[in-house]
């Protein structure tokens, strides 16, 4: 038997289990199984202790599902974009979101530096707009956006309100990157992972 206290993408279920456990499904649903008599305060401590793991796992879901991207494609917002070769400057790349294609010089696909710089540019353009949209929609304020290449974090928020997001998030589905953006925006109001933080998130 179990008791469900929340629904949608974040589900807490009380079960006849000895220890609490978090499971994240391929659709980014977070399921938390906890013992029947575990106090709410202990549940919050458990979630706080695992928040970094939850964040990293959500960000990796789409990439993990698409480890073997088809040859001649690029991953953008969780979708494979077919690469179309054309003559011209190797740094000039055109995106067609309706047809999910990327057109550019064929040398681009063989140059990891050019690809990475392109992804960083796309991340800067997209996240600058998207963070502003979500902040306005949910009543947050922040100082600026920074595109990061940090190896250990997908996102962070400084005490001065600077939101940092890893450029590789541009590869993940919008639902995943939105979650991480909101996670950092909530930190502009709650700089820890307290009960108030999780309720706001």
């Amino acid at each position: 038997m179990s008791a469900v206290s929340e629904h949608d993408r974040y589900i807490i279920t009380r079960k006849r289990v000895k220890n609490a456990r978090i499971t994240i499904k391929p659709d980014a649903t977070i399921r938390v199984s906890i013992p029947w008599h575990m106090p709410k305060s202990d549940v919050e401590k458990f979630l706080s202790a695992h928040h970094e793991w939850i964040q990293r796992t959500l960000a990796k879901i789409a990439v993990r599902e698409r480890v073997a991207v088809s040859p001649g494609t690029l991953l953008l917002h969780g979708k494979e974009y077919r690469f179309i070769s054309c003559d011209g400057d190797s740094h000039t790349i055109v995106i067609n979101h309706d047809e999910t294609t990327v057109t550019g010089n064929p040398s681009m696909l063989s140059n990891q530096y050019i690809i990475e710089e392109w992804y960083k540019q796309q991340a800067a353009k997209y996240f600058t707009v998207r963070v502003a949209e979500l902040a306005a929609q949910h009543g947050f304020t922040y100082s600026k956006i920074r595109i990061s290449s940090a190896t250990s974090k997908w996102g962070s928020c400084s005490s001065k309100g600077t939101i940092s997001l890893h450029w590789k998030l541009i590869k993940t589905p919008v639902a995943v990157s939105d979650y991480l953006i909101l996670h950092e925006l909530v930190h502009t109001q709650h700089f820890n992972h307290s009960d108030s933080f999780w309720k706001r998130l």
Side-chain angles (χ1 to χ4, degrees):
M1 296 178 63
S2 65
V4 178
S5 60
E6 293 187 38
H7 61 283
D8 202 14
R9 289 182 59 203
Y10 193 77
I11 303 172
I12 298 178
T13 307
R14 291 189 179 274
K15 294 182 175 181
R16 291 176 179 173
V17 295
K18 184 177 181 180
N19 300 308
R21 182 179 65 182
I22 300 173
T23 303
I24 301 181
K25 301 295 183 179
D27 63 356
T29 298
I30 306 171
R31 295 185 178 274
V32 184
S33 300
I34 59 175
W36 270 106
H37 303 294
M38 188 175 189
K40 182 180 178 181
S41 59
D42 288 350
V43 175
E44 297 300 335
K45 290 178 182 178
F46 175 74
L47 292 175
S48 295
H50 292 81
H51 78 275
E52 290 290 350
W53 177 82
I54 293 173
Q55 185 182 37
R56 290 196 303 269
T57 303
L58 286 172
K60 292 177 181 177
I61 284 176
V63 178
R64 182 186 304 156
E65 290 178 337
R66 293 175 175 270
V67 172
V69 178
S70 302
T73 64
L74 294 168
L75 192 61
L76 193 63
H77 300 301
K79 300 178 182 178
E80 287 188 354
Y81 278 62
R82 182 169 55 90
F83 188 82
I84 301 175
S85 298
C86 72
D87 295 330
D89 188 341
S90 61
H91 293 273
T92 301
I93 304 163
V94 180
I95 306 172
N96 187 322
H97 293 292
D98 292 331
E99 297 182 6
T100 59
T101 61
V102 175
T103 302
N105 189 287
S107 64
M108 174 189 172
L109 287 183
S110 61
N111 191 318
Q112 191 60 40
Y113 174 78
I114 294 178
I115 292 177
E116 184 171 321
E117 289 302 307
W118 177 75
Y119 271 125
K120 289 178 180 178
Q121 291 172 9
Q122 297 308 310
K125 292 177 183 178
Y126 176 77
F127 290 129
T128 297
V129 174
R130 189 56 179 158
V131 173
E133 290 175 343
L134 290 175
Q137 181 180 347
H138 297 284
F140 295 107
T141 58
Y142 60 96
S143 60
K144 61 182 180 180
I145 301 298
R146 187 175 74 89
I147 301 304
S148 168
S149 296
T151 57
S152 60
K153 290 186 177 181
W154 288 96
S156 65
C157 176
S158 74
S159 58
K160 295 182 179 180
T162 297
I163 303 294
S164 297
L165 299 169
H166 199 290
W167 64 266
K168 288 185 178 180
L169 282 177
I170 197 67
K171 297 182 179 184
T172 68
V174 172
V176 175
S177 58
D178 274 1
Y179 173 85
L180 291 170
I181 290 171
L182 288 169
H183 183 108
E184 302 310 332
L185 284 173
V186 174
H187 275 315
T188 63
Q189 297 180 353
H190 304 281
F191 204 61
N192 52 25
H193 291 95
S194 62
D195 183 36
S196 297
F197 169 88
W198 290 109
K199 285 181 179 179
R200 186 70 171 101
L201 183 59

